[in-house]
Amino acid sequence: DVVMTQTPVSLPVSLGGQASISCRSSQSLVHSNGNTYLHWYLQKPGQSPQLLIYRVSNRFSGVPDRFSGSGSGTDFTLKISRVEPEDLGDYYCLQSTHFPPTFGSGTKLEIK
Amino acid sequence: EVQLVETGGGLVQPGKSLKLTCATSGFTFSTAWMHWVRQSPDKRLEWIARIKDKSNNYATDYVESVKGRFTISRDDSKSSVYLQMNSLKEEDTATYYCTTDYWGQGVMVTVSS
């Protein structure tokens, strides 16, 4: 199975500041069809995960443009600018290029 | 508004069975590929099963750890997806979510004697 390594485990940030989360895969996530199936989720405290970014850099419906995704191959980044209180929680990356889909172990975004 | 509501969880003894139901609304269920994902008490997320739509012959896939024990199914007339879980093990203890692009609120399954 593809191993997804997320760093850091915990990320203290100041409100209004910027956060960056890394996700690295044990093999390339470029599918044979040319697409890269790397997605980002946020799980707010006490809630279920919600889709933020799909296929590396596409914001899901209703996601503010403070969230941006980038990367290619095996190295991906989620950036959050102007962090707001509602951004706090656990962030997970997911790859669905290879079977079975696998998640990263999560990054907790918390207030500094 | 998109809604996914999971039911059927609870406390069950090892070796027993449980069936989860996910009732959905607010999107075109019949063309959606539906998934079950579980989150263990240590918050790790694990994808466990998927069922494709009618045009893909309702094909199913499972993670190795549940293959042969769990069965995913769907009823497009009820916009619902199911997860039949047999021969449950203590390591199946988790919150189970049904998902498409959206996620349900989850249902807790505890396997313990």
Side-chain angles (χ1 to χ4, degrees), chain B residues 27-65:
Chain B
F27 65 100
T28 306
F29 180 85
S30 60
T31 58
W33 293 14
M34 298 301 298
H35 308 255
W36 286 95
V37 173
R38 65 187 179 186
Q39 186 167 37
S40 56
D42 64 358
K43 299 178 74 173
R44 288 187 176 269
L45 290 167
E46 180 183 32
W47 176 92
I48 55 173
R50 171 183 67 203
I51 186 165
K52 298 182 181 179
D53 63 348
K54 183 177 182 180
S55 68
N56 287 280
N57 298 316
Y58 300 121
T60 58
D61 295 288
Y62 301 90
V63 73
E64 196 61 36
S65 59

Side-chain angles (χ1 to χ4, degrees), chain B residues 15-27:
Chain B
K16 299 295 188 182
S17 299
L18 211 55
K19 185 174 184 176
L20 305 182
T21 296
C22 174
T24 77
S25 61
F27 65 100

Side-chain angles (χ1 to χ4, degrees), chain A residues 41 43 47-49 51 60-61 90 92 99-101 103 105 108, chain B residues 37 39 43-47 61-63 97 101-105:
Chain A
Y41 294 83
Q43 185 173 29
Q47 296 186 20
S48 54
L51 179 61
F60 189 57
S61 174
D90 297 321
Y92 296 90
F99 184 84
F103 289 89
S105 52
K108 179 179 283 296
Chain B
V37 173
Q39 186 167 37
K43 299 178 74 173
R44 288 187 176 269
L45 290 167
E46 180 183 32
W47 176 92
D61 295 288
Y62 301 90
V63 73
Y97 296 98
D101 290 332
Y102 298 90
W103 293 54
Q105 86 288 350

